[in-house]
Amino acid sequence: MTSTETIEALRAELAALLGERGVSTDPKTRERASVDEATMSPILSEQLPLGLADLVAHPANAEEIAAVVAAATRHRVPVTARGKGTGNYGQGIPLRGGLVLDTTRARAVVEVGDGVITAEAGASMALLERTAAASGQQLWMYPSTAQSTVGGFLSGGSSGTGTIAHGSNWEGFVVALDVALPGPEPVLAHVEGEDARTFVHTYGTAGVIARATVRLEPAQDWRAVYASFPTFEEALGAVRTLRALDPLPRLVSADRATVAERLPADPAIPAGRASLRAIIDAVALEEASSLISAAGGVVEDVREGTQQTIKVSTLSYNHPIWWLKKNSPGREYFHVEVGGEALIDRIHEVEAVYPGGMLHIEAGHRFPIGMLTAEYTGAADVYAGYAKLVELGVRVHSPHQFYVDHGVEELLALKQRTDPDGLLNPGHLGVPELAVTLPAQAKI
């Protein structure tokens, strides 16, 4: 625990650097900066509050981010970086208190080039997409929460709209990063290619992403496509065929009627029917309509424009489960992230792992992925289902944890070089004793 005197000394130094409005010890500000969407998990919710910031800093550019990290280092105060707090795993919660470094004021788009865009960590993915569009380009991918920041998406996210073609955000999406590292003086380490990739999806435990250059591609003429089916099984057939369209779709999501009815009201999502939403290239619309019809479905609507395609994105990945929880008063749902062809081939067995189980599915990059949800009856019951899913050939990732579990050995080696004193987001690296572990080949 950091002493009151140390916190006040750091506050005074940061106020001189950022101005009085650039740093806060106000209790409400500290509370808001110490939570994220971890309440998606009833298991994590039972553990909240997991931590509380002692103070919050709001740097306005990459250089100020580096200066804040250096100031905290000099005072030996832990640093937890955050964007808009849209993460679902508690990765932005300051488990050991200290300083929360809020990057959302560092939101400038620095440069747009041929196939790349550079922005500071607090720029939203939606802003990057709009800026790219003005130059006839588009992002390789953006998360389902399109208003999240580029620094947050790279630090704590993994996939989203565009993943069908490009995979996860550590698979070539990142061209270069400027990373703020701990030290007595401000350091912005510029890393490219493979060296940049090692900082992706590390929850800010090895360095704070202050500026990022990510990949663009030529813009496509996308359409938001809504379809419905008498049964979810028919919708699954369409997911399988649509993911092979040429050009590839940017997104394909589907839900059972029970989940679809909890989504925001929309005439293109009729009650009592399974729903499929997709982002399809205009040149593939005719073929997509034929595939939907062949699977037993009906195209309910086709909508044009970036606003409409981003809306479809916000109904994908974790979001349908969020709406299910929000619009099911008196019930508590949990979800498990799953992947593999078994989600289609063995759907009934997969859903039966949990009583009343329902699958939200995404087309995915190499195989279908999704969120398996059911009513919550306790952490032990949730964990007991993991091994059963693996036996069915399902890959599993637990959303009920606040620590990095991807590339851990590589990350530990990196952190030993960049943060040997363990000041960056402490507590988020290293598996707790009671955690449920899975073999690597069973993970998504």
Side-chain angles (χ1 to χ4, degrees):
M1 182 174 179
T2 308
S3 70
T4 302
E5 293 78 10
T6 298
I7 294 299
E8 174 53 30
L10 177 56
R11 188 210 66 78
E13 184 172 340
L14 293 178
L17 172 69
L18 307 174
E20 289 292 341
R21 299 184 65 182
V23 61
S24 177
T25 55
D26 171 68
K28 290 185 178 179
T29 301
R30 291 162 51 209
E31 289 172 7
R32 286 194 298 270
S34 300
V35 297
D36 58 13
E37 291 293 331
T39 51
M40 278 283 292
S41 162
I43 295 175
L44 289 178
S45 293
E46 291 169 352
Q47 302 173 53
L48 297 174
L50 284 166
L52 176 65
D54 293 299
L55 73 169
V56 183
H58 302 276
N61 54 54
E63 287 71 25
E64 287 187 356
I65 290 173
V68 169
V69 171
T73 302
R74 291 192 295 272
H75 290 274
R76 310 291 299 167
V77 173
V79 178
T80 300
R82 68 179 275 130
K84 290 192 174 179
T86 60
N88 301 127
Y89 309 112
Q91 63 263 60
I93 295 176
L95 299 177
R96 309 286 167 78
L99 171 71
V100 165
L101 195 164
D102 185 321
T103 64
T104 54
R105 292 184 188 175
R107 51 181 177 264
V109 175
V110 178
E111 185 179 11
V112 181
D114 184 11
V116 294
I117 186 169
T118 301
E120 294 186 329
S124 74
M125 300 301 293
L127 173 62
L128 268 61
E129 177 75 349
R130 291 194 300 270
T131 304
S135 68
Q137 300 181 89
Q138 64 189 28
L139 287 168
W140 264 27
M141 68 182 72
Y142 60 83
S144 50
T145 308
Q147 291 298 331
S148 63
T149 65
V150 62
F153 178 50
L154 298 182
S155 295
S158 58
S159 54
T161 299
T163 279
I164 295 173
H166 299 299
S168 298
N169 60 6
W170 56 79
E171 297 182 271
F173 179 51
V174 178
V175 177
L177 298 173
D178 290 325
V179 183
L181 300 178
E185 299 299 327
V187 175
L188 270 182
H190 183 77
V191 288
E192 299 182 355
E194 189 64 15
D195 291 334
R197 181 199 61 78
T198 60
F199 286 94
V200 177
H201 199 72
T202 60
Y203 296 4
T205 57
V208 177
I209 295 174
R211 187 182 292 122
T213 300
V214 296
R215 293 195 187 278
L216 304 177
E217 61 191 354
Q220 292 171 255
D221 187 12
W222 297 110
R223 297 292 189 274
V225 176
Y226 292 76
S228 71
F229 297 80
T231 69
F232 185 57
E233 291 72 17
E234 290 166 305
L236 291 177
V239 170
R240 174 162 276 168
T241 56
L242 287 172
R243 69 178 180 170
L245 279 173
D246 184 17
L248 290 171
R250 215 173 187 195
L251 184 79
V252 180
S253 296
D255 293 285
R256 286 193 175 278
T258 303
V259 177
E261 289 169 0
R262 303 303 198 280
L263 298 176
D266 191 309
I269 306 177
R273 292 174 66 86
S275 170
L276 182 147
R277 289 89 53 199
I279 301 176
I280 305 292
D281 193 300
V283 303
L285 273 178
E286 185 175 347
E287 183 180 359
S289 297
S290 296
L291 293 174
I292 289 167
S293 178
V298 175
V299 174
E300 298 287 349
D301 203 359
V302 177
R303 299 169 183 172
E304 185 176 354
T306 301
Q307 184 176 353
Q308 293 297 333
T309 54
I310 287 181
K311 179 182 177 182
V312 168
S313 296
T314 65
L315 300 178
S316 65
Y317 289 85
N318 286 334
H319 289 246
I321 310 306
W322 187 89
W323 284 107
L324 176 68
K325 290 167 66 71
K326 177 181 173 63
N327 292 325
S328 301
R331 296 184 176 185
E332 179 65 83
Y333 287 90
F334 73 94
H335 73 286
V336 177
E337 297 173 354
V338 291
E341 298 297 339
L343 300 186
I344 295 177
D345 295 333
R346 307 181 73 172
I347 178 59
H348 297 292
E349 294 171 272
V350 169
E351 291 185 324
V353 166
Y354 297 110
M358 298 178 289
L359 178 70
H360 163 78
I361 195 167
E362 302 281 338
H365 180 53
R366 298 178 181 86
F367 44 76
I369 60 176
M371 314 291 161
L372 180 60
T373 187
E375 288 198 55
Y376 183 61
T377 55
D381 293 338
V382 175
Y383 294 145
Y386 292 4
K388 297 175 184 178
L389 289 167
V390 172
E391 289 175 3
L392 293 172
V394 176
R395 294 170 179 261
V396 175
H397 179 263
S398 177
H400 311 294
Q401 58 195 40
F402 49 74
Y403 53 88
V404 180
D405 70 345
H406 170 81
V408 174
E409 290 185 7
E410 181 182 48
L411 175 54
L412 285 170
L414 175 64
K415 187 175 177 68
Q416 186 58 42
R417 299 194 305 272
T418 62
D419 181 32
D421 294 329
L423 290 175
L424 296 180
N425 212 1
H428 289 274
L429 179 56
V431 179
E433 290 183 8
L434 298 179
V436 176
T437 57
L438 293 164
Q441 66 272 20
K443 294 181 181 179
I444 294 179

